[in-house]
Amino acid sequence: MADKVRLGLIQLCGCSGCHISLLDLHEQLLDVLPALDIVYAPIVADVKEIPEVDVFCIEGGARNEHDEHLMHEIREKSKVVIAWGTCAVYGGIPGLANLYKTEEINTTPYYTKTTDNPGVIPENGIPKLLDTVKPVTDVIKADYILPGCPPKPALNAAAIVALLNGKDPELPKKIVCDECPREKENVFPKEFKRSFEGTPDNETCLFEQGYTCVGMGTRSGCGAMCPSANMPCRGCYGKTDAVLDQSASTANTYANAGAPALEIPDKVGLLNRFSLPAALISKKVQK
Amino acid sequence: MGKVTIEPLTRLEGHGKVTITLDDSGKPTDVKLNITALRGFEQFVVGRPAEEVPRIVPRICGICQTAHHLASVKAVDAAWGAQIPIAAEKLRELMHLGNMIHSHALHFYYLAAPDFVLGPDADPAVRNIIGVIGAAPEVAKKAIAMRRFGQTIVEAVGGRPIHPVTGIPGGQAKVFTEEKRDEILTEMDAMIEFGQEGLAIMKSLNEKYLDTIKTLGVIDTWYLGLVKDGKHNFYGDTLRFMSPDGKETMDFKPSEYTDYLGEHTVDHSYVKYPYNKKVGYPDGLYRVGPLAMINVCDSMATPLAEEARKEFVETFGKPANQSLAYNQARLIELLSACERTKQLLEDPEITSTDIKAEVQPKAGNGVGVVYAPRGTLFHNYETDDNGIVVKANMIVATTHNVPTMEKAIQQAASVVFK
């Protein structure tokens, strides 16, 4: 794919963090932008109709019928579709909504204590919610995935450069632990702590200290940013290629700690924080 | 009768459309702003351990994620009765300012400036940041530098430039190193200069488009902002309402917000319409964001920004009611954020290691408020004995402005379609 790439960008059920991460190339933007012809990007440009494009990056999954409709339209008009960021690939944080009935998602905001006319549910001129949050990859065929919440600027740039050179973008294959500078002794914790408890040692593995880090089940690429900031990984890059399911592979490690692992609060929300809609367990949760 | 639909609304985060109904003579009879997205955060944080919520809610907004992170952790601190060390408070404020600098630079240079720099009549296809890079590369380079500077601060203090993680109940998880502080300080004075230059650009653009600014989208509303000791403050502790004529003000604390704020559900939008409860709906509709912040404060907390505020008042009045004056107000705030950042970086306590107090989860009800870059932001959680969230209420920045944006669009439609 030589010359200028006609690029489309859109945010559906996401937060625009992936778009912002692209801008976080900062000065490098001035090198990347000349190679791109951004023909559609509601967040930065005033174009109303989706044109034919070479590469379309979709940020976010589908929360409502309109999102789903746009995904189909984008697929028809694009040569290459990239599921851009963890919401697009696995459902992301908004996918936690799949733990609840759609009716609850649709009505709870209209019963809060500040609502003066509780029970009025908006329905005019707005798209209907789907029954669940669906990743892009559940709705249409995505040619590539680019996970991360958000994907780091360098990953965005590498994907663009690969496509410009007619190559397939490549993703990191390892886990967050491989990038984490903390020392490991290969022991399992005797009890688990919540993140506000105590003060973690700065040098050693957070999981081994009993903090609920999920780096062992999570694709690398972030540079272990959270553990480096003294906070356990929450799995935002999703699973690696080697496993079927992020939470199952993480739970497998936790099981080695025995009974204390059972005491961890909200295991489903911890182990599936960013990938519930794509998880094996989600089919069961919805029953 | 005809109908005009503007969809998608562009150069914003989130999803909306405008529907304008016209009568036979082409005059608008009904103008509606439909906010078309609902994700359900108020429901799906329920059941989560409260300390995890500051790591979840940043995904409400990828631009002002830091504000959500901080309002959220403030709310958990309040629910559990945690007193955080002063150094942690300062680190959180610094993180917040980094986000403010990135977001205000983004909002002005990337989203608003294309209309002014390239002109409102320029082809929509070039009326964007790339057009600005072509037409005014020096301006674009400064915009990029300011965003980078802001993001660098958030990453240094918050652990990540987007969706930071270091705010935990009881304080902060990560010490700010002297090396990092010194590195950031080397660029500080240049950023204050860029802040002044941005303001100068805006003032010259204002002169060019003053007629438009003084006629399009001019509406009388209440204003809501955040202050500390009456002064403008992004991380302040007191909320202030100001009446449309500026004669009446009401100060209240975050914990009292349900006495002052109501939300009214409308049929055509997923967003509820917040209003000043003491005044009632719809008379109590108000605006938030830079215009409101500049309107409600007695003064800016930093000297250069205070000078700029005085000039602003001379041009637009107090309170200013011109929607397009938001841009100049935003640039005054950008300058102020840079000045305040310098004060904090030069504060020896900013690299303190005393950044976290021990806390115990408990049943409680906590409200956290900060000024997000687009307006005052509320997070309110109730927790059970184990510190698990049982109820949540959030009023996010842009939400406050939706009803009055609709009003401004109605006013603009009546001018455009006359």
Side-chain angles (χ1 to χ4, degrees), chain B residues 148-170:
Chain B
R148 177 176 41 71
F149 181 76
Q151 293 291 74
T152 303
I153 292 175
V154 179
E155 183 168 14
V157 182
R160 305 164 43 129
I162 298 170
H163 305 320
V165 296
T166 55
I168 49 172

Side-chain angles (χ1 to χ4, degrees), chain B residues 207-223:
Chain B
E207 280 160 24
K208 199 168 159 194
Y209 296 109
L210 203 60
D211 285 347
T212 309
I213 290 169
K214 289 199 164 169
T215 51
L216 204 64
V218 177
I219 47 171
D220 282 342
T221 64
W222 282 75
Y223 295 97

Side-chain angles (χ1 to χ4, degrees), chain B residues 335-380:
Chain B
L335 178 58
S336 174
C338 291
E339 288 182 282
R340 176 67 185 145
T341 299
K342 189 176 180 186
Q343 289 174 356
L344 281 172
L345 289 173
E346 287 176 342
D347 183 334
E349 213 177 1
I350 203 75
T351 53
S352 164
T353 53
D354 177 20
I355 54 170
K356 189 176 162 283
E358 279 301 319
V359 289
Q360 286 296 325
K362 62 170 190 157
N365 184 344
V367 182
V369 174
V370 297
Y371 169 63
R374 263 146 296 279
T376 322
L377 166 66
F378 294 74
H379 280 249
N380 177 201

Side-chain angles (χ1 to χ4, degrees), chain B residues 70-360:
Chain B
L70 294 171
S72 179
V73 77
K74 267 189 174 185
V76 182
D77 281 336
W80 293 357
Q83 295 292 330
I84 78 167
I86 296 168
E89 195 79 22
K90 287 178 180 171
L91 280 174
R92 288 182 183 179
E93 187 186 349
L94 179 61
M95 192 198 313
H96 190 42
L97 290 165
N99 182 241
M100 199 64 63
I101 293 168
H102 127 75
S103 180
H104 272 14
L106 174 81
H107 197 133
F108 177 67
Y109 290 105
Y110 290 64
L111 305 180
D115 287 343
F116 294 111
V117 172
L118 300 158
D121 299 325
D123 179 357
V126 301
R127 209 158 15 94
N128 55 51
I129 181 63
I130 298 166
V132 174
I133 292 172
E138 287 314 307
V139 173
K141 277 183 190 163
K142 284 171 186 169
I144 287 172
M146 288 200 97
R147 272 206 67 250
R148 177 176 41 71
F149 181 76
Q151 293 291 74
T152 303
I153 292 175
V154 179
E155 183 168 14
V157 182
R160 305 164 43 129
I162 298 170
H163 305 320
V165 296
T166 55
I168 49 172
Q172 283 290 106
K174 185 185 170 227
V175 170
F176 185 46
T177 63
E178 288 181 14
E179 295 75 39
K180 203 71 207 174
R181 188 256 331 258
D182 294 345
E183 189 189 313
I184 291 170
L185 260 175
T186 58
E187 281 198 285
M188 191 67 252
D189 288 336
M191 293 304 141
I192 293 175
E193 257 175 56
F194 291 172
Q196 289 174 291
E197 286 171 27
L199 201 50
I201 294 174
M202 189 65 238
K203 277 192 281 191
S204 67
L205 291 171
N206 268 349
E207 280 160 24
K208 199 168 159 194
Y209 296 109
L210 203 60
D211 285 347
T212 309
I213 290 169
K214 289 199 164 169
T215 51
L216 204 64
V218 177
I219 47 171
D220 282 342
T221 64
W222 282 75
Y223 295 97
L224 174 67
L226 200 58
V227 293
K228 193 171 185 179
D229 303 323
K231 287 185 177 165
H232 178 284
N233 195 306
F234 300 110
Y235 197 71
D237 56 11
T238 304
L239 290 140
R240 177 176 287 176
F241 267 124
M242 177 177 269
S243 62
D245 60 6
K247 286 182 182 149
E248 195 184 344
T249 55
M250 301 173 185
D251 283 9
F252 59 101
K253 293 291 174 189
S255 59
E256 303 169 309
Y257 86 108
T258 52
D259 295 334
Y260 288 85
L261 293 191
E263 292 188 282
H264 188 82
T265 307
V266 296
D267 190 38
H268 64 273
S269 183
Y270 276 125
V271 149
K272 287 177 288 183
Y273 284 21
Y275 62 94
N276 179 335
K277 213 170 172 175
K278 303 281 180 196
V279 180
Y281 181 83
D283 291 345
L285 294 183
Y286 58 88
R287 285 188 278 183
V288 296
L291 186 70
M293 287 287 279
I294 301 290
N295 279 340
V296 305
C297 71
D298 302 332
S299 62
M300 301 299 292
T302 55
L304 295 173
E306 172 57 9
E307 257 176 63
R309 187 195 66 87
K310 284 181 182 158
E311 253 184 81
F312 176 88
V313 171
E314 275 169 32
T315 312
F316 297 107
K318 184 179 167 77
N321 59 6
Q322 305 84 347
S323 299
L324 290 169
Y326 262 99
N327 291 309
Q328 186 158 336
R330 184 168 291 115
L331 286 164
I332 296 171
E333 289 198 331
L334 179 55
L335 178 58
S336 174
C338 291
E339 288 182 282
R340 176 67 185 145
T341 299
K342 189 176 180 186
Q343 289 174 356
L344 281 172
L345 289 173
E346 287 176 342
D347 183 334
E349 213 177 1
I350 203 75
T351 53
S352 164
T353 53
D354 177 20
I355 54 170
K356 189 176 162 283
E358 279 301 319
V359 289
Q360 286 296 325

Side-chain angles (χ1 to χ4, degrees), chain A residues 123-251:
Chain A
E123 54 183 0
N124 252 329
I126 46 177
K128 256 184 81 159
L129 298 188
L130 299 172
D131 286 342
T132 57
V133 172
K134 295 182 195 173
V136 171
T137 45
D138 269 13
V139 179
I140 56 169
K141 178 180 172 288
D143 300 285
Y144 301 106
I145 61 165
L146 192 53
C149 183
K152 282 205 116 175
L155 284 179
N156 288 324
I160 291 168
V161 169
L163 287 168
L164 282 171
N165 293 325
K167 292 187 179 145
D168 290 348
E170 280 187 29
L171 293 176
K173 300 240 178 311
K174 294 183 166 179
I175 56 172
V176 171
C177 303
D178 293 322
E179 293 187 320
C180 183
R182 291 171 177 271
E183 286 163 30
K184 296 163 206 73
E185 291 174 12
N186 294 317
V187 295
F188 294 98
K190 299 210 167 23
E191 57 170 4
F192 284 97
K193 290 190 269 253
R194 289 166 66 175
S195 60
F196 58 83
E197 290 181 74
T199 304
D201 174 75
N202 269 341
E203 308 291 325
T204 58
C205 172
L206 287 167
F207 174 72
E208 292 180 3
Q209 293 181 58
Y211 290 99
T212 54
C213 191
V214 299
M216 72 291 285
T218 303
R219 189 192 293 270
S220 62
C222 63
M225 278 196 291
C226 297
S228 301
N230 272 341
M231 292 300 284
C233 170
R234 285 291 169 259
C236 81
Y237 274 61
K239 71 182 191 71
T240 65
D241 297 329
V243 299
L244 195 57
D245 186 84
Q246 185 181 20
S247 60
S249 80
T250 313

